[in-house]
Amino acid sequence: MNYRSIKGTKDILPSETPLWQFVEQTIRDVFHQFNYKEIRTPIFESTALFLRSIGELTDIVGKEMYTFEDRSHDSITLRPEGTASAIRAYVQNNLGEALPLSKIYYIGPMFRQERPQAGRLRQFHQFGAEAVGSPTAETDVEIIAMTIEIYKRLGITNYSLQINSVGDEECRPRYKEILKAELLKIADKLSFESQKRIEQNPMRVLDSKDENDKTLTASMPLITDHLNEECAKHFERVKSLLTAYGIPFTVNGRLVRGLDYYTKTAFEITSSELGSQDALAGGGRYDLLVKELGGKQTPSVGFAAGMERLMMILEKKGFQPPKQSPKIFVAAADETAREWVLQTTMKLRSAGIASECDLLSRSLKSQMKEADRQQAQFSLVVGSMELESGKALLKNLTDHSQQEILLSDIVTIINT
RNA sequence: GUGUCCAUAGUUCAGUCGGUUAGAACGCCAGGAUGUGGCCCUGGAGGUCGUGGGUUCAAAUCCCACUGGUCACCCCA
């Protein structure tokens, strides 16, 4: 094999696209029912946008971005996530001037250069939504409820929702100092990775998977106990609304997301059906990002979710998307009928009926086999006899029944 | 980026202590008294055994490197 797709990228084959299309349609249906409108942004942006929004110290920016210089020597990056582009577009196009609240969604490919593994690709697909312009807890909960509605709609029930509040620009730095001081006391006992994080990203240490780190930090102060009044109130409101909506959740005071722009609410949905990459979706509030990217101070909430991970669960459950098969296969019994068959197939298609006929000059038996393989609902065999009499047998391939029909009526018969 | 395991028809796999024509199932193609699919029967096509080196009289089989896949770490969708 001479050429292969790039490591960590995958072809989505004709046998798989029906599932993709079905899932995408379900997602769009939910978004539209929550009145979110689609935004489509370019899949590459200036590198600076991601540095500024995601944060220079995050893993995404530090070691995962596909960054290159184009022929004009501009630094370009393939988007590693969707929020930065969406907010850039929001600011650039002054969407905030047209409406007090913009509810937008996106769906498409993202790129991160990591070592591939189960549930992790270099080109993967995310869907997500942003509610730009609302500070209320009601909006946080709408975003969470909408995410969950998508999984519910697809019959995925085996997930768990974890929430946290990561504070705001006032209480988070204060908490970070307290935490840092505690961590420094035991720094030499922590894992190498955690030691590196104490200075720049101390909250990450609490999120470490290292067993030893976990026990060492078991009694460390949590951000949820150090929120200022506003953040604490907001968090309480989120929790009580979730409860009121009947959405189960657990509070995880150690939850930190991989992007620096989150404030107040952060959440993650995980599934035990997945491998060690078990996050189905994540999101939260980002009240500072719009201003950071040159817009007005605009409180916002959003989430992003992985398509592939969602589909891994559906496949595991044996989920079958609706079939995309022709309604009728028109077969030619002999050479004289071939032209009629072609024309009739075209006529059926023009009438909006998915139809197929033989293009390989094959025997009638082969044509019938093809009709079966394609899972056509009906077959119609036409030869010189039928052309002469103007009648033919229409066969239902599911229940094997046949009925004689007038060739001139074929379109209306199939249409009913 | 580090590590694990793996690499044989289109697919999933078998292939003994290295031994000469590399197999199966499914799929694909063609037939089964001359114009009807699915099941069944018969026949057929299809593999430089991932690539390159090495050991050996002899390598799909043993060794090394590379490439790719896989899973895990890290991190996350």
Side-chain angles (χ1 to χ4, degrees), chain A residues 196-212:
Chain A
K196 282 196 298 187
R197 296 188 193 288
I198 294 178
E199 275 309 313
Q200 302 292 3
N201 218 338
M203 289 170 72
R204 270 263 117 86
V205 179
L206 296 187
D207 204 25
S208 171
K209 278 185 196 166
D210 187 283
E211 283 306 321
N212 192 44

Side-chain angles (χ1 to χ4, degrees), chain A residues 186-345:
Chain A
I186 55 156
D188 54 324
K189 298 187 192 119
L190 290 169
S191 68
F192 180 64
E193 288 294 331
S194 289
Q195 290 186 30
K196 282 196 298 187
R197 296 188 193 288
I198 294 178
E199 275 309 313
Q200 302 292 3
N201 218 338
M203 289 170 72
R204 270 263 117 86
V205 179
L206 296 187
D207 204 25
S208 171
K209 278 185 196 166
D210 187 283
E211 283 306 321
N212 192 44
D213 286 359
K214 279 186 189 170
T215 41
L216 285 170
T217 61
S219 56
M220 293 260 156
L222 296 179
I223 177 106
T224 36
D225 296 321
H226 291 264
L227 297 173
N228 62 26
E229 201 189 328
E230 192 194 322
C231 291
K233 240 176 91 185
H234 187 92
F235 194 39
E236 285 311 310
R237 181 81 177 135
V238 168
K239 288 189 282 186
S240 71
L241 282 168
L242 284 172
T243 305
Y245 286 13
I247 297 171
F249 63 92
T250 55
V251 173
N252 175 0
R254 292 163 179 264
L255 177 69
V256 191
R257 309 262 330 131
L259 306 108
D260 280 355
Y261 51 63
Y262 287 118
T263 53
K264 294 182 178 168
T265 314
F267 70 94
E268 198 165 279
I269 295 172
T270 55
S271 168
S272 54
E273 309 273 321
L274 295 171
S276 85
Q277 305 305 321
D278 63 353
L280 266 178
R285 172 162 285 283
Y286 48 93
D287 289 345
L288 277 16
L289 181 61
V290 179
K291 192 172 179 190
E292 189 76 16
L293 295 182
K296 292 180 187 165
Q297 166 82 39
T298 311
S300 309
V301 218
F303 84 97
M307 287 283 282
E308 282 85 354
R309 289 185 188 176
L310 163 51
M311 275 182 285
M312 278 169 77
I313 297 178
L314 291 179
E315 271 160 24
K316 196 170 165 190
K317 290 169 56 123
F319 177 85
Q320 292 294 324
K323 293 237 157 53
Q324 298 181 355
S325 47
K327 184 130 190 197
I328 178 169
F329 190 103
V330 189
D334 52 48
E335 286 308 311
T336 57
R338 291 208 116 93
E339 201 178 314
W340 185 91
V341 164
L342 274 170
Q343 283 176 3
T344 303
T345 305

Side-chain angles (χ1 to χ4, degrees), chain A residues 363-374:
Chain A
S363 68
L364 180 61
K365 176 168 180 157
S366 297
Q367 292 181 57
M368 291 303 293
K369 280 191 169 190
E370 191 62 35
D372 188 59
R373 174 166 35 213
Q374 297 291 336

Side-chain angles (χ1 to χ4, degrees), chain A residues 54 63 67 76 83 88 117 153 163 185 209 212 215 218 237 255 258-259 279-280 315 321 367 409:
Chain A
I54 298 170
K63 52 186 198 192
T67 297
I76 304 295
T83 302
R88 192 226 80 229
Q117 75 183 78
R153 199 83 59 107
I163 64 168
K185 291 182 194 165
K209 278 185 196 166
N212 192 44
T215 41
R237 181 81 177 135
L255 177 69
L259 306 108
L280 266 178
E315 271 160 24
Q367 292 181 57
D409 291 347

